[in-house]
Amino acid sequence: MAALYSGCVPDAKTLPCLWLISDARNDAVLARALAALPCGSGFVFRHYHLEGDARRQRFDTLAAAARARGHCVILSGPADLAQAWGADGVYGPPHKLGTLPGLLRLATAHDAREIELANRVAADGVFLSPVFPTRSHPGGASLGPARFQELAALAQMPVIALGGMTAERAQALDWPRWAAIDGLS
């Protein structure tokens, strides 16, 4: 598995600590944000606002920029598409991760039930969110630090904090792995 990475991830069970997640609203600054991340960080390409060839072309452009810095490149979508596009892994709900060999499988979770599903499918990592209020879901409920810690303790794999995360919040949360859309763009 480590052979898929550009050199900064030592083995399949060591996930990057810092993750940038793409979105329509951070698209214009993604190349700069990817260049600013520490070598060996992670990049999750979502870009749900694009379809077909446009999505594939944007993936190829950003994946090249990410790999130039040794970042792990994950595609949000079906595992067979992630494999066909040359991604290092797949991101999504636990029941949609698939079982294709050679791909990291990174689940999304928002509650104990979804953490259990991620455990059941033996995901390689889980993005647990939203830890804090977010711009993408204004007024939406968030877990808060205490509930995040409780849920993270249920996971049998590395947990990546997501939702309103910034470097300052990650430090206050005292959590080594975190991801952001706005907080890193």
Side-chain angles (χ1 to χ4, degrees), residues 97-121:
L97 294 177
T99 58
L100 289 177
L103 290 177
L104 281 171
R105 298 164 56 245
L106 302 177
T108 56
H110 307 88
D111 55 34
R113 182 186 65 77
E114 290 176 336
I115 291 283
E116 179 51 38
L117 289 173
N119 288 339
R120 230 180 285 152
V121 302

Side-chain angles (χ1 to χ4, degrees), residues 45-46 48 55 59 73-100 103-106:
F45 180 85
R46 296 185 323 169
Y48 303 134
R55 188 170 190 247
F59 172 84
V73 177
I74 305 297
L75 178 68
S76 178
D80 59 342
L81 188 63
Q83 189 174 57
W85 286 13
D88 298 314
V90 62
Y91 164 97
H95 66 282
K96 292 189 175 183
L97 294 177
T99 58
L100 289 177
L103 290 177
L104 281 171
R105 298 164 56 245
L106 302 177

